[in-house]
């Protein structure tokens, strides 16, 4: 039964069939780390953009939409780190589950560069979606600083699977 569920999930959510080149690419695992390598000016409500994935076991993080879609029921850990440049913007980057804010990272309105992070656990079911969204005070764009050092990251992985 579990193998049937995994095959359906793979076809439905990621539209690809995994090759047998690695056990990590089977339906048993889900883990990703996405990194931003470009400066962003997200407006209120924009999904934070990531340009690369370091890890994407299970292909549950879609780099084209910057959204994680749950494939395996269970308890997940999500962590995100945001850096702003030396300017007076006030990025408030929230983690949303199915469009509802769960937790945020807020960076103060000051001239010095600043970096903050947050880590949470969430119980997820198949098709639940998790993303990072800008919720800027004052409604204007916030400057999120990135370069090849990869300051801004988004990580998620299944800690415990429900069978």
């Amino acid at each position: 039964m579990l193998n049937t569920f995994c095959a359906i999930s793979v076809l439905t959510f990621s539209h690809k069939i995994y090759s047998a080149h690695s056990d990590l690419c089977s339906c048993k695992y889900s883990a990703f780390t996405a990194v931003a390598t470009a400066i962003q000016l997200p407006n209120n409500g924009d999904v934070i953009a990531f340009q690369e994935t370091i890890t994407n076991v299970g292909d549950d993080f879609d780099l084209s939409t910057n959204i994680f879609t749950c494939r395996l029921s269970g308890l997940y850990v999500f962590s995100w780190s945001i850096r702003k440049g030396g300017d007076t913007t006030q990025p408030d980057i929230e983690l949303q589950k199915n469009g509802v804010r769960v937790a945020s990272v807020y960076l103060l309105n000051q001239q010095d560069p600043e970096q903050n992070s947050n880590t949470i656990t969430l119980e997820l079911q198949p098709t639940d979606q998790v993303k990072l969204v800008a919720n800027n005070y004052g409604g204007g764009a916030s400057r999120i600083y990135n370069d090849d050092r990869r300051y801004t990251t988004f990580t998620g992985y299944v800690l415990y699977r429900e069978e």
Side-chain angles (χ1 to χ4, degrees):
M1 180 72 170
L2 181 61
N3 288 339
T4 303
F5 174 75
C6 288
I8 291 169
S9 296
V10 169
L11 292 172
T12 303
F13 298 117
S14 68
H15 304 291
K16 67 167 67 168
I17 299 172
Y18 298 106
S19 65
H21 72 279
S22 170
D23 287 338
L24 289 178
C25 289
S26 71
C27 289
K28 297 178 186 178
Y29 304 99
S30 180
F32 74 93
T33 294
V35 296
T37 58
I39 293 173
Q40 299 178 53
L41 296 168
N43 288 305
N44 215 15
D46 287 351
V47 176
I48 302 304
F50 296 91
Q51 291 73 43
E52 299 175 19
T53 54
I54 295 172
T55 305
N56 198 5
V57 176
D59 279 341
D60 296 324
F61 183 81
D62 185 342
L63 199 55
S64 68
T65 62
N66 296 291
I67 296 173
F68 170 84
T69 301
C70 178
R71 181 175 44 84
L72 306 169
S73 296
L75 182 64
Y76 285 76
V77 176
F78 290 95
S79 179
W80 64 108
S81 182
I82 307 292
R83 181 171 186 198
K84 77 173 197 78
D87 55 32
T88 58
T89 63
Q90 300 179 61
D92 179 8
I93 308 303
E94 60 187 38
L95 182 135
Q96 292 183 354
K97 173 186 171 185
N98 298 327
V100 177
R101 180 180 54 232
V102 177
S104 296
V105 166
Y106 175 70
L107 295 114
L108 296 174
N109 180 0
Q110 59 186 16
Q111 290 293 340
D112 298 324
E114 182 181 5
Q115 183 154 351
N116 272 330
S117 62
N118 203 345
T119 301
I120 64 166
T121 57
L122 285 175
E123 291 184 53
L124 297 180
Q125 299 297 318
T127 73
D128 282 344
Q129 293 190 325
V130 178
K131 61 187 173 184
L132 297 180
V133 176
N135 181 21
N136 304 325
Y137 288 96
S142 289
R143 184 173 184 261
I144 297 176
Y145 181 80
N146 294 294
D147 62 19
D148 61 353
R149 294 182 188 139
R150 302 172 172 184
Y151 294 110
T152 297
T153 61
F154 182 26
T155 296
Y157 57 92
V158 65
L159 182 63
Y160 174 79
R161 283 183 49 212
E162 294 175 4
E163 299 284 335

